[in-house]
C-alpha cells in the first residue's frame, strides 16, 4: 500500500492550499481516510477524517476552515485549507484505516508527508 501526499508549500496567512493524497495497492473505497499534522517539537495531531461513504469529522482548530473530500474513482483524498494561520504550519500526513478514527494509532498506512508553512 502506498500513499503519496502532495500540495504543500509556503503561503501567507489568510491564504489557501489544497493537499492531495493518492492511494494505491488496495481498494481505496473500502477504507476510511484521515489527515494528520505534526509541527516541530509537537506530537502528531488529528486534522480531519472521512468515512467510507463520505461522512466527515474535523479537529476543532480547523473546523470551518478546512474541508476533507474523497474521490473513490481516482483513489484520492483531498484537504482544502482556507484562512490559513501561522499555527497551521506543520508537516501534513494522509493515512488510511479500517476505522473512522481520530487517533494516529488506529491508522495503519501513512503517506510521507507534505510540508505546509504559513507566514504571518
Amino acid at each position: 500500500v502506498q500513499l503519496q501526499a502532495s500540495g504543500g508549500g509556503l503561503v501567507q496567512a489568510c491564504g489557501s492550499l489544497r493537499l492531495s493524497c493518492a492511494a494505491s495497492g488496495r481498494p481505496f473505497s473500502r477504507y476510511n481516510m484521515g489527515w494528520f499534522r505534526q509541527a516541530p517539537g509537537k506530537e502528531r495531531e488529528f486534522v480531519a477524517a472521512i468515512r467510507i461513504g463520505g461522512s466527515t469529522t474535523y479537529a476543532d482548530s480547523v473546523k470551518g476552515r478546512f474541508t476533507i473530500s474523497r474521490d473513490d474513482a481516482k483513489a484520492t483524498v483531498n484537504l482544502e485549507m482556507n484562512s490559513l494561520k501561522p499555527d497551521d504550519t506543520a508537516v501534513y500526513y494522509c493515512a488510511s484505516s479500517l476505522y473512522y478514527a481520530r487517533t494516529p494509532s488506529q491508522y495503519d498506512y501513512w503517506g510521507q508527508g507534505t510540508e505546509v508553512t504559513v507566514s504571518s
Side-chain angles (χ1 to χ4, degrees):
V1 176
Q2 287 192 327
L3 299 175
Q4 182 72 38
S6 62
L10 173 64
V11 63
Q12 289 188 331
C14 302
S16 299
L17 277 177
R18 179 181 173 90
L19 305 183
S20 292
C21 177
S24 61
R26 66 180 183 182
F28 180 81
S29 62
R30 298 182 186 176
Y31 294 90
N32 304 290
M33 299 297 296
W35 284 97
F36 292 79
R37 67 187 181 186
Q38 188 165 17
K42 296 187 177 181
E43 293 187 353
R44 191 166 298 190
E45 67 173 2
F46 171 76
V47 175
I50 186 163
R51 190 198 294 264
I52 299 166
S55 300
T56 58
T57 185
Y58 297 91
D60 287 345
S61 60
V62 307
K63 198 173 296 183
R65 300 188 298 122
F66 291 11
T67 302
I68 188 172
S69 62
R70 64 188 296 159
D71 185 334
D72 289 348
K74 295 181 179 180
T76 58
V77 59
N78 302 304
L79 187 68
E80 187 76 33
M81 306 187 295
N82 298 311
S83 302
L84 284 161
K85 306 174 182 179
D87 284 349
D88 295 318
T89 295
V91 177
Y92 283 71
Y93 299 89
C94 59
S96 68
S97 176
L98 292 173
Y99 308 101
Y100 182 48
R102 300 165 70 99
T103 55
S105 62
Q106 291 186 288
Y107 285 76
D108 53 356
Y109 289 98
W110 293 80
Q112 85 288 2
T114 184
E115 189 168 3
V116 172
T117 303
V118 184
S119 63
S120 58

